[in-house]
Amino acid sequence: MSDRFTVLLQYALPKQRLTLLAGRIARARGGAMTTRLIRWFVDRYGVDMSEAENPDIASYASFNDFFSRPLRKGIRPLAHADFVCPVDGAISQVGAIDDHHIVQAKGHRFTTTELIGGDAVLAAAFRHGSFANLYLSPRDYHRLHMPCAGRLTRMRYIPGSLFSVNPVTAQGVPNLFARNERLVCVFESPEHGTFVMVLVGATIVGSMATVWHGIVNARRTGTPTEWRYADQEIALEQGEEMGRFLLGSTIVMLFQQGKIAFDESWVPARPVRLGERMGDGPV
């Protein structure tokens, strides 16, 4: 199947219905059927279960339990850096924000305002800043962690499409990350300023969850929703878990101008691991 046909097919597919069906299957506690599904998935995508806290495939009651499995303690040590990689995955794009434009793929850009749901005031904080788009494939660990310490100030759920977010689709669907369903989490740090972590939904991503809220988009009502946390002290340390995907997707991070210098090894298509050096602040 050609890449072009793969992309065009996604416009025709009933993505919402497929995602609802996948969510039901992933939540089901189907006994031997669930175990067979998990075993097929492990074999199909080459999942390394030796890294899991619980490597016994038959012990997972649902596919979601397996997919959001924790890693063995100590297997992803944190680098001595101001910013560490928050996930296992691969770099889609990384670099400077051109005024307020972010590179999605060759020939495709979108704006920070579009990404965060039209909030021009918040987007202005990242003018000429830095960004990183990280893709989580089906085989990856799907919990998300903090690149640096930060205090949560607000969170916004933005309904949208559910295109796949794999590299082929990123090359073929304009404004992909700014048109898909997403969850915008805004943090403040005395050392690193305001930064944003955007969890991007995709086809068959059953839901997105955070450690402070739980599952955010279980019902998919199509209505944008915002939560503000000025009266709460939700502070997370570097490397601490902040959320998870129930089936794979992408995370986009935004940093203010002059706050991060990405490690020189960080280039598109490079595999990355949770806890490795992502970058440092200004010297």
Side-chain angles (χ1 to χ4, degrees):
M1 187 183 298
S2 71
D3 289 352
R4 178 174 173 78
F5 181 77
T6 299
V7 171
L8 290 175
L9 180 63
Q10 291 187 56
Y11 283 93
L13 286 173
K15 296 180 284 295
Q16 293 278 354
R17 292 180 182 178
L18 285 173
T19 300
L20 286 172
L21 176 61
R24 292 193 188 104
I25 293 171
R27 291 190 300 271
R29 295 174 177 263
M33 287 290 291
T34 293
T35 299
R36 283 197 287 273
L37 174 61
I38 294 171
R39 196 176 303 279
W40 171 85
F41 189 93
V42 169
D43 291 342
R44 171 67 177 80
Y45 292 105
V47 179
D48 185 359
M49 291 302 293
S50 70
E51 295 189 331
E53 183 178 84
N54 176 12
D56 182 8
I57 290 173
S59 69
Y60 291 97
S62 71
F63 187 85
N64 274 347
D65 289 346
F66 152 74
F67 199 80
S68 61
R69 64 196 177 278
L71 294 174
R72 284 194 287 115
K73 187 175 180 180
I75 201 166
R76 296 286 190 277
L78 300 185
H80 295 292
D82 292 334
F83 300 89
V84 298
C85 182
V87 296
D88 282 4
I91 300 169
S92 294
Q93 294 289 334
V94 62
I97 298 170
D98 179 9
D99 192 8
H100 59 282
H101 287 92
I102 299 172
V103 176
Q104 172 180 305
K106 186 176 180 180
H108 293 301
R109 302 198 304 171
F110 57 95
T111 70
T112 53
T113 304
E114 291 169 333
L115 175 68
I116 61 180
D119 188 336
V121 175
L122 177 60
F126 302 102
R127 187 181 182 198
H128 299 302
S130 302
F131 78 96
N133 297 355
L134 305 180
Y135 168 66
L136 287 70
S137 74
R139 66 172 294 170
D140 289 320
Y141 167 67
H142 276 79
R143 298 192 181 199
L144 318 173
H145 296 250
M146 294 292 289
C148 60
R151 179 181 176 275
L152 180 73
T153 61
R154 55 179 160 143
M155 175 175 76
R156 189 178 190 198
Y157 167 69
I158 305 167
S161 299
L162 290 169
F163 286 94
S164 170
V165 292
N166 63 33
V168 169
T169 311
Q171 290 278 357
V173 176
N175 279 24
L176 175 63
F177 302 129
R179 71 194 297 174
N180 266 17
E181 174 185 71
R182 54 208 182 276
L183 185 64
V184 179
C185 303
V186 185
F187 295 91
E188 295 286 346
S189 164
E191 298 84 9
H192 308 304
T194 302
F195 64 96
V196 167
M197 300 177 73
V198 182
L199 285 62
V200 182
T203 311
I204 75 168
V205 173
S207 56
M208 297 176 283
T210 66
V211 296
W212 58 84
H213 184 98
I215 294 176
V216 176
N217 58 334
R219 298 185 63 185
R220 286 191 166 95
T221 62
T223 304
T225 308
E226 182 161 313
W227 298 263
R228 291 184 178 263
Y229 301 98
D231 60 342
Q232 300 181 47
E233 185 63 26
I234 303 176
L236 301 174
E237 296 299 318
Q238 184 182 58
E240 191 172 351
E241 182 183 344
M242 61 79 64
R244 64 187 68 173
F245 288 116
L246 300 179
L247 295 180
S249 195
T250 282
I251 183 166
V252 183
M253 293 176 287
L254 305 180
F255 301 97
Q256 291 181 293
Q257 185 177 18
K259 294 298 183 181
I260 182 172
F262 287 107
D263 190 275
E264 62 182 14
S265 68
W266 271 52
V267 294
R270 176 186 179 275
V272 291
R273 285 290 187 98
L274 167 66
E276 73 171 61
R277 177 185 298 274
M278 182 168 71
D280 285 297
V283 178

